[in-house]
Amino acid sequence: MTTPEPRAARRGEHGDLFDPQCPTRQLLDRLGTKWTSMAVKTLADAAPDEVRFAELKRRMPGVSQKMLSVTLRSLTRDGLVSRRVEPSVPPRVFYRLTGLGLSLEAVLAGLRTWAEEHMAEIDRSHYAVEQEAEGTAEA
Amino acid sequence: MTTPEPRAARRGEHGDLFDPQCPTRQLLDRLGTKWTSMAVKTLADAAPDEVRFAELKRRMPGVSQKMLSVTLRSLTRDGLVSRRVEPSVPPRVFYRLTGLGLSLEAVLAGLRTWAEEHMAEIDRSHYAVEQEAEGTAEA
DNA sequence: CAGGATCCGGCTGGATACTG
DNA sequence: CAGTATCCAGCCGGATCCTG
């Protein structure tokens, strides 16, 4: 079995690199992984309904089965997502955001709003910096 | 809705992987990089004062000179940070958050708040999941 | 259907050495 | 002082194969 212990701030021990009590770092590590935010968003869109694995995969264009699996397991471990197995053959597994997950979605919504409002500005800035660089180069 | 410059279309290249018009993805990519949020936070704490490179490095424990440099250049390109060079010998370079950067800091503050309020809950969830796993294992 | 195991390429970021 | 350039290890995530 693979040690399912990414970071250990559980009991007394903590092999954390720098700031073990920096929750923001841990949160950003999670959000930074490629599919987490999309999974949360997709589940949030469906809430309060449950969504099955395959359906979830279908709604997340580009995600591989492995990464969806890994992402969901991570979210489940974090208590952001609930997992319900229907013991039939073939099995059916349902996922849904927990209350905690929904509260995170609210934060993500804030991120999305900022991004939509300001990313164009950031793009424009890239332009400006390039122009400046050219000007400096051939002065 | 005003499609905010796919950013890929600018010069032709930049072949974005999936959703070029997903600003959230781009924002998360930025925030996900290890030192971005800490740099923004550190500069925000100093604002409206400027901070020199070495001083900034001193205030960000663990950051390498390379990564600080890369991070700052990225932030500058994004228009989130302003860079002022004092052409002396040795040179002195000053960094400061722009208005855009400050508005991002506000969003980050939201993230931080959520993280501080809920990361303990997430840790507790890990506990629960482990217990559950053990129980299932040795039923 | 759901997802574990494995292999592996590419990118992130750390350490080091060098420059204006 | 404030970087840039290079090398390289480790991790992330995609593709593939296999199982209950």
Side-chain angles (χ1 to χ4, degrees):
Chain A
M1 160 149 80
T2 54
T3 340
E5 211 80 63
R7 49 186 54 82
R10 293 183 325 167
R11 281 154 247 233
E13 44 145 322
H14 51 256
D16 240 323
L17 314 175
F18 307 111
D19 203 338
Q21 31 191 350
C22 176
T24 306
R25 174 76 266 137
Q26 300 186 19
L27 176 60
L28 283 174
D29 285 345
R30 284 165 169 79
L31 296 183
T33 62
K34 201 167 187 178
W35 300 103
T36 302
S37 58
M38 192 185 296
V40 171
K41 172 70 159 58
T42 306
L43 286 168
D45 286 344
D49 291 343
E50 298 175 306
V51 186
R52 293 182 55 186
F53 186 89
E55 175 62 19
L56 206 43
K57 183 172 187 312
R58 215 180 47 75
R59 296 190 193 177
M60 296 171 56
V63 73
S64 67
Q65 160 275 335
K66 169 190 165 184
M67 285 319 295
L68 180 55
S69 178
V70 168
T71 302
L72 287 172
R73 200 182 330 146
S74 170
L75 288 172
T76 303
R77 270 180 54 89
D78 286 352
L80 299 166
V81 164
S82 71
R83 181 176 187 273
R84 184 172 69 83
V85 182
E86 205 178 272
S88 53
V89 183
R92 294 147 57 93
V93 183
F94 299 85
Y95 294 93
R96 177 169 43 178
L97 276 191
T98 63
L100 189 58
L102 282 169
S103 78
L104 176 60
E105 161 59 15
V107 176
L108 281 176
L111 269 188
R112 255 178 254 121
T113 302
W114 190 93
E116 281 157 15
E117 284 176 0
H118 297 287
M119 285 307 288
E121 204 168 334
I122 286 183
D123 278 342
R124 253 177 279 126
S125 173
H126 290 185
Y127 243 154
V129 172
E130 279 171 36
Q131 302 296 342
E132 199 178 304
E134 287 173 24
T136 310
E138 56 176 81
Chain B
M1 168 166 62
T2 62
T3 316
E5 277 313 296
R7 145 204 172 91
R10 285 185 338 182
R11 285 281 154 99
E13 54 162 295
H14 248 317
D16 243 320
L17 308 177
F18 305 111
D19 204 340
Q21 28 190 346
C22 176
T24 305
R25 175 74 267 138
Q26 299 185 21
L27 176 59
L28 283 174
D29 285 345
R30 285 166 167 79
L31 297 183
T33 62
K34 200 165 187 177
W35 299 104
T36 302
S37 58
M38 192 185 296
V40 170
K41 172 69 157 61
T42 306
L43 286 168
D45 286 344
D49 291 343
E50 297 175 306
V51 186
R52 295 183 54 186
F53 186 90
E55 175 61 18
L56 206 43
K57 183 173 186 316
R58 215 178 46 73
R59 297 189 193 178
M60 295 169 57
V63 73
S64 67
Q65 144 275 0
K66 168 191 164 183
M67 285 318 296
L68 180 55
S69 178
V70 167
T71 301
L72 287 172
R73 199 183 331 147
S74 170
L75 288 172
T76 303
R77 271 182 52 88
D78 285 352
L80 298 166
V81 164
S82 70
R83 181 177 187 272
R84 184 173 69 85
V85 182
E86 205 178 273
S88 53
V89 182
R92 296 148 54 92
V93 184
F94 300 86
Y95 293 92
R96 178 169 44 176
L97 277 190
T98 63
L100 190 57
L102 282 169
S103 79
L104 176 60
E105 161 60 15
V107 176
L108 281 175
L111 270 187
R112 253 177 255 120
T113 301
W114 190 94
E116 283 156 13
E117 285 176 0
H118 298 287
M119 285 308 289
E121 205 167 335
I122 286 185
D123 279 342
R124 251 176 283 126
S125 172
H126 290 186
Y127 243 157
V129 172
E130 279 171 38
Q131 303 295 342
E132 197 176 305
E134 286 173 24
T136 309
E138 54 175 82

